[in-house]
Amino acid sequence: MRTALRNLFARLRALVAPATVQKDIHEEFRFHLDMRVEEYVKSGMSLEAARQEARRQFGNPTALRDRGWDERGGGFLEIVLKDLSYGLRTLRRKPLLTVTALLTLGLGIGANTAVFSVLNATLLAPLPFSEPDRLMLLWEDHTIRGNAQVEFAPANYLDIRKQSRSFEAIGAWLETRVNLTGVAEPQRLSGMLVSDNLFRLLGVSPVIGRNFLPGEEEENATPVAILAHGFWQRRFGSDPGIVGRSIQLDGQGVTVLGIMPEYFNFPSKGIDLWMPLRMGPEQAGGRGDHYIRVIGRLRDGMERSQAQSDVQAIAATLEEQYPRTNQGVEMRLVPLREYAFSEEKPALVILFSAVALVLLIGCTNVASLLLSRANERGREMILRTVLGAGRRRLLRQLITESLLLALLGGVVGLFLGFALVRALGVYIAEALPQAAEISLDVRLLAYALGLSLLTGLVFGLIPAIKVSRVTPGGSLRGVEHQLASGQKAGRNQRILVVAQLALAFVLLTGAGLLIRSFANLVSVDPGFRPEQVQVVRVELPFTKYRTPESRWNFQTQLLDQVRSLPGIRSAGMISFVPLTRSSVYFSFAVEGRANPGDMDLPQAIYRVVSPGYFETMAIALLQGRHFSTRDNESAPPVAIVNRTMAERFWPKGAIGSRLKVGGLDSQNEWLTIVGIVADVRQGRLDAGGEPQLYVPYRQDYRGFIAPSEVVVRSDLDTAMLGPALLRVVQSIDKDQPISAIETMEAIVSRSVAAPRFRTLLLGLFAGIALALSLIGTYGVVSYGVTQQTREIGLHMALGAEPRKIVGDVLRRGLKLSIAGVAIGSLFAMGLARFLRGMLFQVEPLDLTVFVSVSLVLMSVAAAACYLPALRAARLDPSTALRVE
Amino acid sequence: MEKTDLLQGTLDMLVLKALSRGALHGYDIARWIQQTSEDALQVEEGSLYPALYRMERRGWIQSRWGVSQNNRRARYYDLTQTGRKQLEAESANWARLTTAIGKIMQTA
């Protein structure tokens, strides 16, 4: 080991300072000769004779020095370096080819690095919990009602937590919003109510202060909270003294127990603080509403399947005990790892495959470039073989060159990849809000390096083998012929062109399908007009606005004052504006119909709105009337339904009909339908057609769904309107914060961020693929023309029209593109179905897409052939014939 | 006096043997071999050096620059632990070989 190290060091020294080593050897020889001469002279020889004799005795010093250098020089390293510098020279000699190859590789590797960096920050990002593989999410499974993943009802969660034997611990969380009050600038916070065992279950502790203790989720325990690192930094200037002190949340004193580590963002980014999930007896006993998220840590060594059947058995018992609420409610486990980014996973996998194809196209391009160069280099290779270079030496030289090219391409790719990630940063942040920070880590570098090396081997091997197979028998000319003979050389490259056209076809089809789908998506009529509408969220703290009347007063005052602001055309309020994915469904009963079980009642999206909401959003009123200020607490309860709900449940006319929230026997009041409005895309643009139910705000007593989003239609921009709204709100209640103001158009746009992201990327990659195939086809056809200069000259000398020459070249190119399109469409047909889940109103085998892609690809191929064809036609026969 | 070409591979052994008594420079090694064999062995003196470099690379010997008896800078070679073991192995091997060949050659 030490010897090896010392040798390596000696080799390196010889590489860095060859002169020193040479001098060493020289001096040693010199000493030897001098000693010998001295001895001979002493024994009586003349100086001249002594010198001659000493030299004869010593042998040929030049040869000996070379043999000495073999031992003491750079050794293997030196050979590699020689190969590299030779390779660099070769690359420099053909700058156009080198730049083309580097750009091609750079684009391919860059696209791969970019997508991998996204994967690295999402699917491959490690879960920051101890033994994360034992963490399981638990879901209620309502498959018979078409929903396999439903949140838990509180009582079901408590039962499973008590009864299950397969878990070390089971915990839960529930989103909440609170206002930080008692400070100069009140602020709305994102909070998470968590079971007191949750952090211990995840294996994470606060960096300062203490964890929640068992018992802190009891209803009457002291109010406590643990702060997120970011919130602590922003709001309390990282002051550790805050721990143990009290802060005001919704006007109530809450003791800060601790600060979580910076990386901790469970269950999602943007959480400001965690508080114990405390449920009163009524809430804890509820099995009808499903809104609690549950997670468990498997006991050590417990199999998932075992735990699954354990949980399922408990679900079956509950079903027997509580048939009214739990009929058909099963339970299932999903590993936390599988769940993270499960929605984005298919798109990421497809993008990853897409960039792999791009790189493959890039490889075929470079291979084809190297092949044509290999043909030109035949003479050089033969010469070197004749001069005694072994086949292995030549092969190594060629592979070294390819690897060098690939590594340089990898460097270009790394830069391009990061440029791409930077350019797409906004889209990535929108489409993958939960992604970790994208950064250059060891894994990413290793990936780029490995990919470059693999690429170098892939595109370098074919030409290398071909060249090294040359047998140096016969004349140089003969060998050159052997390499470059039109037939064989051309065939390999034509295969490569067909292959890359086919690959490009697959990518273009995928991109075409996604683009059509995206076009369909954004042209969906959302049922409202987002232009000039702006939204701000005003969350009234429940602790301060305990009574419905206090909320109504606030809301009425707010609306009155906002409407009187200059430049405002209309304003209204709603629980949640559309496309924010907050879907609250309520079950309802229709007057005059039989009462089904609780679980089988029809459901509607339930929204509480103020007068002016529909007008502001420009949601069409189809029948009846809007809500007015007269629809208040002392007036008979009314409702507005959407067209789908009206047509489905009251085909003979909905106006004047009655329904109630809950079952027929529930205590809720009957609501009379006074209006029918157009369907609105509430959850997402690509899904609609569900019943929607609106009630006036002064008739809603359920605080948690009270209207808290103010919509304003005006000519003002957000910078003007935002501060004006804040002033209005704080003139009514100086402790009341508001959220940042947003345009409704931004909300709509954000709701399609994910499809836009994948469409954009796949489109980009398909574009790169198309450009690369254009270059590849051009290169091969152009090379073919060069190869056949003599032949073409002969044709022309024999009287062939230039037009025929052009036609010939074009026809050859067309044949290639037809083959590429045919093969590509076969593959595309096979692969398109993997896109099905991402397509909106487009079939995977959409004829328009397939036909347009074929046309595009064939035109591009024709364009690529046209220049070489023109060049062929302009050949001067007399010169052409003289070309060797 | 008749001279014998050095058997392939025996040069290393002779060098190791020469160095077993202490550090020597190349010229002294060559002289020692000549004198000890009473000029019977023919060594192309220069080829000693690539052999020395190779043996150094293998870790059998180590070298440093020193001053010779006549006050000139000379490169001295010295056995390492590995070199000593190598010498033992080669000597034993050589003894076995010569005994075996001697037996064969003595048959009538």
Side-chain angles (χ1 to χ4, degrees), chain A residues 47 49 98 139 188 306 343 355 366 409 448 470 509 542 566 604 606 761 801 832 841:
Chain A
L47 186 63
T98 305
W139 295 94
R188 192 171 70 95
Q306 239 174 308
E343 241 180 274
V355 287
V366 178
V470 165
T509 316
F542 214 57
Y606 183 87
L761 272 194
E801 295 265 323
Q841 295 177 352

Side-chain angles (χ1 to χ4, degrees), chain A residues 116 334 344 385:
Chain A
F116 187 81
V334 179
E344 292 87 356
T385 318

Side-chain angles (χ1 to χ4, degrees), chain A residues 387-398:
Chain A
L387 291 176
R391 172 166 304 175
R392 263 172 77 178
R393 182 82 178 71
L394 282 187
L395 200 60
R396 193 173 59 203
Q397 168 71 47
L398 287 166

Side-chain angles (χ1 to χ4, degrees), chain A residues 813-874:
Chain A
L814 202 63
K815 256 195 231 164
L816 294 182
S817 63
I818 288 177
V821 164
I823 297 173
S825 56
L826 285 181
F827 277 108
M829 278 192 254
L831 292 173
R833 65 199 159 86
F834 290 112
L835 282 178
R836 189 183 288 278
M838 275 167 241
L839 296 182
F840 177 61
Q841 295 177 352
V842 184
E843 281 305 304
L845 298 184
D846 185 70
L847 194 62
T848 323
V849 168
F850 274 73
V851 170
S852 356
V853 167
S854 309
L855 288 178
V856 165
L857 211 52
M858 278 163 59
S859 335
V860 163
C865 298
Y866 192 65
L867 278 182
L870 270 191
R871 191 155 57 83
R874 289 199 188 130

Side-chain angles (χ1 to χ4, degrees), chain A residues 247-263:
Chain A
I247 57 173
Q248 296 279 313
L249 296 177
D250 289 347
Q252 188 192 15
V254 176
T255 308
V256 175
L257 291 184
I259 315 293
M260 288 310 275
E262 197 169 1
Y263 68 83

Side-chain angles (χ1 to χ4, degrees), chain A residues 193-253:
Chain A
L193 302 174
V194 299
S195 56
D196 55 25
N197 62 356
L198 186 77
F199 293 165
R200 268 169 288 131
L201 182 158
L202 295 173
V204 183
S205 317
V207 279
I208 306 176
R210 69 162 172 89
N211 231 325
F212 294 126
L213 295 176
E216 277 189 318
E217 63 186 20
E218 295 309 318
E219 205 191 351
N220 301 317
T222 337
V224 288
I226 293 179
L227 308 187
H229 201 273
F231 172 60
W232 174 60
Q233 264 180 338
R234 279 192 310 276
R235 194 70 213 210
F236 300 104
S238 305
D239 171 20
I242 191 73
V243 173
R245 288 221 307 265
S246 174
I247 57 173
Q248 296 279 313
L249 296 177
D250 289 347
Q252 188 192 15

